[in-house]
Amino acid sequence: MDLFEYQGKQYFARYGIPVSPGGVADTVEEALGVAERVGFPVVVKAQVKVGGRGKAGGVKLATTPDEVRTHARGILGLDIKGHVVQRLWVEHASEIAKEYYASFTLDRPNKAHLGMLSAQGGVEIEVVAAENPEAIAMLPIDPVRGLDVATARRWVADAGLDEAARAQAADLLVALYRCYTEGDCDLAEINPLILTPGGEVHALDAKVTLDDNAAFRHPEWDEFRGDEFEDPRERRAREKGLNYIGLDGSVGIIANGAGLAMSTLDVVNQVGGSAANFLDIGGGANADVMAAALEVINADPKVRSIFVNIFGGITRVDEVAQGVLEALARVEIASPIVLRLDGTNAVEGRAILAPHLNDRLVTEPTMLEAARRAVALAR
Ligand code: GDP
Ligand code: MN
């Protein structure tokens, strides 16, 4: 999950990384309120999950209430690379002596973390990497050993950060590394990291990607999920613990295993249909999971038919069949269901379903035939 800048800064602040005082604003009046609270001058910043906001006119300095109004009005609703600005972050403006770049990310091939630090910040790091790669000090970090202050001190010197910034920057980088590891980020980036004329080092921007696989140990991440921007189907599915991704088509999909679920989307496409979702119920195809899956798909108004594609392995098809029947007893489903059941105990599973089949609940012997049937029913 990518965070907005203001959320990234809130996350940074938990780990003691210095950021400017500010607040979010969804209207011009709110922006003015924040500006008066944090004190002029302020920066008015578009909150969109895309870089290069400054260049696109999404970051503006304001020294008076009138300027706040003008900029807030101009930035709200602005389209930045296809992202329409719905929210602003207004913070007390900093004076800038120097702009640096700092980030931590995963170096998968080397099974390590990678720190990147440059005295040339504020510009796109990709440009620095292409034109002046030696200006970026790369620091591979063994995840077991971590990053200590002594290493961070050498690193800030190697990167050529100004003397005045080094001690604070080293401490900040250790804090950022803690945020990145303990905070389960895939990416924690500060561009620019600034040195002020007064000799303070702090984060002027925040780009944070959280590792969704770690969400189970971060109940506090829920506050980062903005209901207003999210697909309601995906929210419902997540509340039920399902591995679901909403799509635009009319055939609801339930499959066991991510690979089979993806093949199911392909086959539905191949026979001229389009899937309403990706949904992998994994190995837990019991009545609870099946009922939850059917409920989520049933609540999608675009769905016209449901294709349940199960290949029994460790999951036994007779249990799945039982699960489907129990689920149907609990949930009233608006669309016809086409089942393809194969693999372990398929014969037993089909026998369980046989007495219950009708024109709303049908089985087909193969994946291809089931896909054709589901697509025909969706027309
Ligand atoms: P980005 O363009 O999406 O990366 O947005 P940033 O938050 O990095 O802001 C872009 C640029 O605006 C920065 O590189 C700074 O040069 C400038 N900027 C942002 N905040 C301030 C501030 O508080 N004071 C000053 N003087 N400039 C700022
Ligand atoms: Mn930036």
Side-chain angles (χ1 to χ4, degrees):
M1 171 173 45
D2 292 335
L3 298 187
F4 288 107
E5 173 198 4
Y6 75 91
Q7 298 172 324
K9 284 179 169 170
Q10 287 167 3
Y11 211 50
F12 283 175
R14 287 180 203 179
Y15 293 88
I17 296 161
V19 292
S20 306
V24 292
D26 295 343
T27 64
V28 173
E29 287 313 306
E30 282 174 20
L32 205 55
V34 177
E36 268 155 8
R37 179 161 59 76
V38 300
F40 288 93
V42 295
V43 250
V44 181
K45 308 183 77 174
Q47 296 302 289
V48 283
K49 295 177 179 179
V50 63
R53 294 166 303 159
K55 268 191 207 154
V59 178
K60 297 277 187 191
L61 201 70
T63 53
T64 64
D66 268 348
E67 283 180 3
V68 172
R69 281 198 200 92
T70 307
H71 294 319
R73 209 173 285 128
I75 296 173
L76 282 168
L78 189 70
D79 185 312
I80 301 180
K81 301 177 187 168
H83 297 246
V84 176
V85 181
Q86 300 183 28
R87 178 165 284 178
L88 303 170
W89 170 251
V90 179
E91 72 176 25
H92 184 68
S94 305
E95 286 183 73
I96 302 177
K98 283 290 173 62
E99 292 187 300
Y100 309 129
Y101 172 94
S103 71
F104 292 101
T105 187
L106 204 57
D107 182 0
R108 291 175 195 275
N110 290 316
K111 301 186 175 72
H113 298 304
L114 179 67
M116 290 201 272
L117 183 63
S118 177
Q120 298 184 14
V123 291
E124 281 168 56
I125 196 65
E126 291 81 3
V127 175
V128 180
E131 291 174 0
N132 204 0
E134 68 283 1
I136 304 173
M138 305 276 204
L139 181 73
I141 302 167
D142 180 332
V144 177
R145 299 188 52 189
L147 175 66
D148 56 32
V149 180
T151 307
R153 291 226 169 99
R154 281 196 299 276
W155 188 25
V156 295
D158 286 348
L161 265 53
D162 301 78
E163 287 285 359
R166 287 185 192 175
Q168 283 177 67
D171 289 345
L172 185 147
L173 289 165
V174 169
L176 184 62
Y177 182 75
R178 252 193 73 218
C179 173
Y180 165 78
T181 49
E182 289 174 27
D184 284 307
C185 304
D186 279 339
L187 170 72
E189 182 188 78
I190 304 176
N191 188 24
L193 173 70
I194 60 156
L195 171 66
T196 69
E200 302 291 323
V201 173
H202 91 232
L204 221 54
D205 193 5
K207 190 169 171 198
V208 172
T209 305
L210 300 173
D211 175 2
D212 292 316
N213 294 311
F216 70 95
R217 56 183 171 220
H218 293 283
E220 82 279 9
W221 286 1
D222 281 351
E223 74 181 70
F224 293 142
R225 297 182 210 279
D227 294 354
E228 64 269 49
F229 306 122
E230 193 187 35
D231 184 330
R233 299 173 299 171
E234 293 187 358
R235 185 171 67 246
R236 219 173 283 123
R238 196 182 48 252
E239 283 162 8
K240 293 177 186 291
L242 295 170
N243 188 7
Y244 174 102
I245 295 165
L247 301 168
D248 291 330
S250 57
V251 181
I253 306 283
I254 299 175
N256 66 322
L260 185 61
M262 285 194 276
S263 310
T264 309
L265 303 191
D266 286 345
V267 173
V268 165
N269 257 307
Q270 184 193 331
V271 300
S274 61
N277 64 278
F278 167 99
L279 174 49
D280 162 24
I281 54 169
N286 59 28
D288 286 343
V289 175
M290 193 56 84
L294 286 171
E295 272 171 22
V296 166
I297 290 179
N298 196 44
D300 180 345
K302 284 199 194 134
V303 167
R304 308 290 300 277
S305 70
I306 300 172
F307 179 6
V308 180
N309 190 6
I310 303 293
F311 191 91
I314 295 168
T315 308
R316 286 163 34 208
V317 172
D318 52 329
E319 281 177 5
V320 174
Q322 204 62 53
V324 171
L325 292 181
E326 284 178 39
L328 288 177
R330 286 195 236 162
V331 196
E332 187 154 348
I333 303 297
S335 311
I337 300 174
V338 181
L339 295 139
R340 175 262 182 158
L341 302 171
D342 220 332
T344 310
N345 290 8
V347 174
E348 291 84 344
R350 292 192 198 117
I352 289 169
L353 283 171
H356 304 274
L357 297 177
N358 54 47
D359 60 353
R360 312 278 303 161
L361 183 67
V362 303
T363 63
E364 291 289 349
T366 69
M367 182 158 153
L368 186 61
E369 285 162 285
R372 285 205 179 104
R373 186 74 173 268
V375 170
L377 286 167
R379 287 222 170 86

